[in-house]
Amino acid sequence: MSVTNTERNGGRWDAIIIGGGHNGLACAAYLAKAGRRVKVLERRHVLGGAAVSEEVYPGFTFSVCSYVVSLLRPQIIRDLELPKHGLEILPLECAFTPQLEGPGLVRWPDAAKTRAEIARLSKKDADVYPQFGRAMGRMGRLVKPIIDDPPPDPTSFDPRELLKLKKLGDLVRGLSETELVRFVKMMTMSSADFLDEWFESDVLKAPMAVSGIIGTYLGVRSPGTAYVLLHHYMGEIDGAFRAWGFSRGGTGQISLSIARAAEAYGADIEVNAGVERVKVKDGRATGVVLTDGRELDAKAVISGVDPRLTFFGLVGKEHLPGELVSHLDRYKLRGSSGKVNLALDRLPEFTCRPGNGLHIKGDIAIAPSIDYLERAYDEAKYGAFSRRPYLNVVIPSLTDPTVAPPGKHVMSIFVQYAPYHLKEGAADWPNQRDAFGDAVVDTLAEYAPGLKESILYRQVLTPWDLEKDFGLTEGNIFHGELSLEQLFFLRPAPGWARYRTPVRGLWMCGSGTHPGGGIMGAPGKLAAERMLKERAV
Amino acid sequence: MSGAKVIVIGGGLNGLAAAGLLAKAGREVHVYEARDALGGLAAGVPFADGYTAPGLLHDTAMVRPWVADALGLAQHGLQREASPAAVTIPTERGAITLRGAEVSGDVGPGDADGVRRYTALVDAVRPVLARIMDQAPLDPRASLLSLLKTGLAVRRLGAATMLELMQVAPMCVADWTRSLGLSEPLAAALSLPAVEGSFTGPWSAHTATTALVRAALSGPAVVGGAPALVKAVVAAAKAHGAHLHTGARVTRILSDGARVSGVELASGEKVTADAVLSTLDPRSTFLCLSGPTDLPLGLVEDAKRYRMRGTTVKVHLALTGPLEDAAGNRITALRATPSLDDVERAFDAAKYRAAAEAPALDVVVREDMATAPGHAVASIVAHAASYDLAGGWTDDARQRFGRAALDVLSRHCPTVRDRVAHMEVLAPPDIAERYGVTGGHVLHGEHAPDQLLFLRPSVHCGAHRTPIAGLYVGGGATHPGGGLTLGPGGLAARAILSK
Amino acid sequence: MPQPTPFHERTAALCTSYAWKHWGGYYAVCHYDESPEREYNAIRHAAGLLDVSPLYKYDVSGPGAGAFLDWVLAKPVSALKRGRVTYVCWCDDDGKVLDDGTCWRLDKQRFRLTAASPALWWFLRHADRFDVTVADVSADLAALALQGPTSKAILADACDADMGALGFFGLTEARFDGGAFTALITRTGYTGDLGYEIWVEPVHALRLWDLLMHVGAAHGIHPIGLDALDISRVEAGFILQGCDYTAASDALIPSHLSSPYELNLGWTVKLDRAPFIGQRALRAEKARGPAWAFVGLDIAWEPLERLYAAHDLPPHLPLAAWRTPVPIYRGMRQIGRATSGAWSPTLKRNLALASVEAEFAAVGTVVDFEVTVEWERCRVPATVSALPFFDPPRKRA
């Protein structure tokens, strides 16, 4: 990336952004668009953070970590003109849940087709399925204003804050009785219990329930997971039909398109530029020191990395109030997922639905039953990876042939659970990495028998690797668990939920801030807007 | 409406408390209890010749003072202990003794400070929680003023406590207790009351709230335990003029879909009344005692959805001597579970239609409930087993569970096995059958956020009133919830009287 | 991806227009020829044969079947005589319409319901408290509507049923093809004309079709598609779910909901009886008076003609019925919407079905109907008319 602007600015920047992930880049783009001089520092040789594409094996481009797009805020796409900078999102065809016995379930974009599939399992569920979608869409509309705005401060007596709280209160009080009850249930119940109130078929409920646990260290029977289910329906309420999709060229393209937009607005982006620490003087952040010894000064330093790494790794506990330190000690990161990427010689064939028709062109979930998923979690609770894990498999090369040589394929497998904290200790992951990879491939091969023979290359990422390679503390892909006590005005810590930190001039813009993880871009955008509003840059 | 006739279904503590208060206010009250004994889950359980267990539920520390005062229970013999009971918490090397906010014995380095922080939050939120528990349930649809009042009470806690509360409330009790720096056995012991009775483990979200509420509302226990509490409430109800009928099962609530007219008894007798208060769980009240067209749909549907998956097994031991640890120290109360993971594993079993291999035990020992001098009764609330056990709750399954509980207990009390003269194991279906509680759920339904306050047991009857004129609800399945609190009965009586 | 109905082999061969639509997960013909006109005329002057297999059908049986339906439906049916059919609607507990259809008494303990949209979920949700079994028999029954003045004669020739004895909203079993197979015949329809619906096991579907087409040839039978049906049902003033109203279960916002009183279905509600789902809310609404009314509109012709004439054009109307909601005004204020309409070839009138604010529901009230002529929005007067628009005596024969 270009470093030519450095001289122009004489080393003095309006804002330095630590981490070239999609949120850091979005923040940079919005600030640069507003005319600020912005510098982005990325430790790795590629941009994108966890939204990154790399040619790990010759000819095969892996979306190494994140692998599908759903939540990227449409407003960001429009504001930053991302399609002009190379963003193309291709829709996911369907959601396929193979079974060992039985024909499996495919949910299609075509409602009538889906109805026929579900009716095989339960006619009643087939009737209710579209109603559930509508109910969730309605709930999503309720939550949308919460996601699109910075959270209020419930402890403040500032009239503006009180007004915001009142607005939230009005939102809840404006609900019909049915919606109110549904809202409470959705915010607090487990996804399994929540779905039980709607559906009877386990084969249907299991793949629906997983939306509630992805990226969390919770099981489908854990209260609080029903809320995460909602995220699955968020994309659709923005009016973007079939919002789940692949980014052409891999998820790294999302980051790259944001980076190009940022550069077009004048931001300066540098890779291979690791930050050693944030310079703090008299309680104020003045710049950063790089691992190569360089020092850069700026009016504001913005961290796109997770809260614990930001405060404990880059700032230092000595500069922080004790209360925040204890909150961050309590802040739950504990990564729970891993990733296996495969380069395949040929397409897999699932026993329950032979052939490589449209059903494998979407999202393939190994989630045969609620109990299966819960047992996978049980193992993780006690510090072991799931021997029979939940797998979310996509084959992007079927939709976007540019990521693999002709006739060959790339398979991305998201795996849960792989707890960062093994009972042998996190440092034992390198010893267990291969066994973990085997468990994943063995599990999938039960459903798609020829799989093993078709593997040309296997990349296994454990939470340990995610921490080491991508700077995700404890391998948490969302920069912190999406549980109620870590959301909204409590993310990442009570009192510090609005991108500001107790260190003046230091700001946060990563997934560890409201509204949280996923390739959403919202934290980066909201942080930039907040800073501009407060004239911090 | 003075002199109006009220029928109370169920002679448990809540039914009795409501009857007493209604009678005191001049109503003609008739309580119909299906069993031969009054007191419901609090009634003494004679389970072997000369041995009576102190209630299916034995924790009497949560009795709401306002109800006790309104009934005048003190005049009827109710006394509370001077100080909190000492609870023994076994550790690997010995035991921790927890008495109120004090810990002693084999404590870990962070225990004293952790318990202090735990107690500080409990004490700080107690007034707010008591306020919420002693009033008609909070309801976002209510007038803004009443909400603001509670909101203000929360704010008065101060920013730090308020934020801490907001952060702790949604947490799982395991995270909370561990974040306090408590040693594993103490953390596990403090988590146990939060999961008892429900389909939850310490890793389930919101269990910190349950723990917090239970701790904040607990005061000193009742002298003489649950049976003494029942005795006082019965005496008060009678003194106020309530008519108590035992062995009288109500089989049907009579209504025309708009107004209740009375009840029908198993004998076939129809009793008319101006109001009917059911203290049973919503499935019993709305599905079993009501005809399919008697109630508005919403109520029926909520009753069907209401989650009451009992996980508690009650074990009663008739002991020929006291319960003692290895060193011969007598134990009066004990929570036996080595770690949070053990409690969680016990719950895991219940998820898969199994029973815990090493159940988590909450033990109360009473020497005054065995007739033979020197003998004792151990009342054990054991967590957890499935109501719907794979293979069914056969005698063999019950025995196996009892042995497992004994194994856990004898790790700390090696002599217990030799002193067991008789053991009774009540599995969830036994509890369901004996006490008429659906699912054998001893709390009349899970204490989950969507089943509390104005949603307990349904948004259509959360304030103890139902859409059927004259039909009220007031058992553990209503605000403020299950357990021996008298709260639901008290609030239901208030709702009836305010009409 | 819709499925073919049991009659698909025949309908597909005849559908030269290739005009198909999706209906309840099946392929259905819109019109066989270029225009629905001939098919419409068959309904009104001879007989039209329509594949209505996609209708949802449910069997309710057991000792508690009557009690169950009395609880679920807005009208009690337990006293319905064997061999009778009645038109019903059912509501949610807020008194909002979920669906409308027919209810047949097959036997002492057996009823059948037809529905426009899936209803199994709703019936099953309440069935557990009654001694009743609810089965979805939608795919177990193929169905044909035979509608029009000659339909009776065709059936008299095609089966052994005593057609003279089969009165309006009656039901009978009949043997066809010399006893080769049996089918149920109901004296029902959606055209407002003399007509029948024939319900048969799918294995006999093609034989039934062939037989009726063969016998019907002498009586002017013509296969018809949904477009012709649509014109005739507008003339008959029949509402269509998903078009004239939204099922309560499909509503996204409260304003999508309708009570039976707002849909002109008040006559299918019987309030003063044992409790049923929605009773409380319906009672309250009846006492309060519904906010909306479902009315027929007779759109004035001459003003419309003048609007076109201003552009030097003759009036242009679509051949089929339309289903895009159109605003209805009174003065400057919008007071409702027309939800479907058609030019009535029989009455020579431009008709619409509309929901208007209750105060404008009186017959004879003149309102303004929005039309777009040459990309210009205009208004023409329309008069609230009694429904049905077309009501021949043979309809009840």
Side-chain angles (χ1 to χ4, degrees), chain A residues 110 115 123 127 131 134 138, chain C residues 1 118 120-121 249-250:
Chain A
D110 176 336
R115 181 178 159 79
K123 286 184 168 179
D127 287 359
Q131 295 172 23
R134 279 191 291 272
R138 182 89 184 133
Chain C
M1 194 185 57
L120 188 70
W121 66 281
S249 52
D250 291 350

Side-chain angles (χ1 to χ4, degrees), chain C residues 76-366:
Chain C
V77 294
S78 51
L80 189 70
K81 290 201 179 68
R82 200 179 301 185
R84 294 296 298 165
V85 178
T86 187
Y87 181 65
V88 295
C89 76
W90 51 98
C91 301
D92 65 12
D93 209 31
D94 297 325
K96 304 302 182 188
V97 180
L98 281 160
D99 205 348
D100 61 301
T102 60
C103 177
W104 325 349
R105 183 91 189 222
L106 292 170
D107 213 332
K108 188 159 184 286
Q109 299 190 353
R110 209 164 141 239
F111 293 82
R112 180 168 294 158
L113 283 158
T114 62
S117 59
L120 188 70
W121 66 281
W122 182 251
F123 296 144
L124 284 182
R125 209 153 126 181
H126 314 298
D128 60 338
R129 302 201 69 210
F130 295 84
D131 190 0
V132 73
T133 310
V134 182
D136 182 349
V137 294
S138 302
D140 305 336
L141 283 172
L144 289 174
L146 182 65
Q147 305 277 308
T150 64
S151 53
K152 190 173 181 176
I154 296 173
L155 281 174
D157 289 354
C159 70
D160 69 349
D162 176 2
M163 294 308 292
L166 182 60
F168 194 39
F169 276 89
L171 154 74
T172 187
E173 197 174 42
R175 290 189 296 168
F176 283 79
D177 209 359
F181 64 93
T182 60
L184 279 178
I185 304 175
T186 53
R187 172 59 190 89
T188 51
Y190 197 53
T191 57
D193 216 303
L194 174 69
Y196 302 84
E197 287 167 307
I198 306 126
W199 314 81
V200 69
E201 280 178 58
V203 286
H204 305 305
L206 295 179
R207 261 181 105 166
L208 175 66
W209 177 278
D210 293 342
L211 179 68
L212 291 174
M213 287 296 285
H214 176 72
V215 174
H219 302 282
I221 197 170
H222 203 289
I224 63 167
L226 291 173
D227 282 5
L229 178 77
D230 217 11
I231 298 170
S232 58
R233 70 101 191 162
V234 169
E235 290 176 334
F238 291 145
I239 55 165
L240 176 61
Q241 193 208 56
C243 168
D244 298 308
Y245 78 100
T246 307
S249 52
D250 291 350
L252 291 174
I253 50 174
S255 68
H256 289 172
L257 299 165
S258 309
S259 79
Y261 299 113
E262 292 172 330
L263 297 176
N264 215 9
L265 293 179
W267 61 278
T268 68
V269 180
K270 187 152 181 342
L271 279 179
D272 296 322
R273 58 175 177 110
F276 64 94
I277 296 176
Q279 188 185 38
R280 268 164 191 261
L282 289 169
R283 240 183 217 149
E285 167 145 343
K286 192 168 186 200
R288 199 172 52 230
W292 293 89
F294 189 77
V295 298
L297 291 181
D298 186 352
I299 303 160
W301 182 254
E302 285 72 19
L304 183 68
E305 203 167 29
R306 281 197 291 276
L307 287 175
Y308 277 96
H311 293 278
D312 200 16
L313 287 169
H316 171 80
L317 290 179
L319 284 168
W322 48 265
R323 292 179 173 190
T324 316
V326 173
I328 302 294
Y329 300 89
R330 170 96 172 178
M332 292 307 287
R333 197 158 72 86
Q334 186 175 342
I335 53 131
R337 64 205 181 272
T339 44
S340 53
W343 164 256
S344 164
T346 302
L347 301 172
K348 306 296 176 208
R349 283 157 70 192
N350 193 12
L351 305 177
L353 299 174
S355 282
V356 296
E357 289 173 19
E359 57 176 301
F360 303 103
V363 169
T365 308
V366 178

